[in-house]
Amino acid sequence: MITALLPIFFAVLLLGLPIFASLALAVFLAIEFFGATNPVIVPMRMFTGMNNFSLMAIPFFILAAELMRIGGLSDRLINLAKALVGWVPGGLAAATVLSCLFFGAISGSSPATVVAIGSIMFPALVAAGYDKRFAIGLIATAGTLGPIVPPSIALIIYGSVTGTSVGRL
């Protein structure tokens, strides 16, 4: 079946279909004509894989991050970070990293962290004399600290895919 999958994929890709559609069509055609399984089993297994209770945490993490941004928790986290490290040279940049770490640990979402902290800290960094490119790079990089600190969306997906207990992770 693998020997049929790749030629079908590249042929459909050359016809101009997007990559996701080419992959889906190639898999469907390979299962339909060359597979030993019933094609009805494929969507059943897809939905069985998505039927995982721990995956419900992902939209709730994003909702919690948005509520924290609207409710002003990001302002309070920034003030805490400024109080901790704002007095050192380069303290505003260090406070940005620390507030991204705090917010990412609470929300578990990198994009939500970048939006919530970046919308406040970017104008403050530019007003303090930091270069715009440096401020954007700092916020984008510090926003990726969220998945490192558990609980995070990446950790929940890892736990659900591998069958590991998310609570133990």
Side-chain angles (χ1 to χ4, degrees), residues 57-66 68 73 77 100-114 116 143 146-147 149 151-153 156:
I58 295 171
F60 289 124
F61 266 135
I62 296 171
L63 175 66
E66 185 64 21
M68 287 187 292
L73 182 66
L77 288 175
C100 282
L101 178 68
F102 289 156
F103 196 89
I106 294 170
S107 71
S109 172
S110 292
T113 302
V114 170
V149 181
S152 66
I153 292 174
I156 290 171

Side-chain angles (χ1 to χ4, degrees), residues 70-163:
I70 292 170
L73 182 66
S74 54
D75 294 328
R76 293 181 184 139
L77 288 175
I78 290 170
N79 290 336
L80 173 66
K82 283 181 184 177
L84 291 175
V85 295
W87 53 272
V88 298
L92 191 59
T96 301
V97 173
L98 195 59
S99 59
C100 282
L101 178 68
F102 289 156
F103 196 89
I106 294 170
S107 71
S109 172
S110 292
T113 302
V114 170
V115 169
I117 302 298
S119 62
I120 298 166
M121 290 305 285
F122 179 72
L125 287 167
V126 171
Y130 288 94
D131 185 37
K132 286 183 179 181
R133 292 174 55 195
F134 173 78
I136 290 171
L138 178 72
I139 293 167
T141 305
T144 61
L145 292 173
I148 296 173
V149 181
S152 66
I153 292 174
L155 198 66
I156 290 171
I157 292 173
Y158 172 79
S160 67
V161 167
T162 60

Side-chain angles (χ1 to χ4, degrees), residues 2-46:
I2 295 292
T3 57
L5 186 64
L6 289 176
I8 294 172
F9 169 68
F10 287 118
V12 174
L13 192 64
L14 288 174
L15 291 175
L17 252 56
I19 293 174
F20 76 93
S22 298
L23 280 171
L25 189 61
V27 168
F28 178 75
L29 291 175
I31 288 174
E32 180 70 29
F33 295 115
F34 302 106
T37 63
N38 190 356
V40 176
I41 294 175
V42 175
M44 287 174 37
R45 290 207 177 160
M46 284 174 38

Side-chain angles (χ1 to χ4, degrees), residues 41-59:
I41 294 175
V42 175
M44 287 174 37
R45 290 207 177 160
M46 284 174 38
F47 285 108
T48 303
M50 291 186 330
N51 188 15
N52 192 341
F53 183 72
S54 61
L55 292 179
M56 286 298 297
I58 295 171

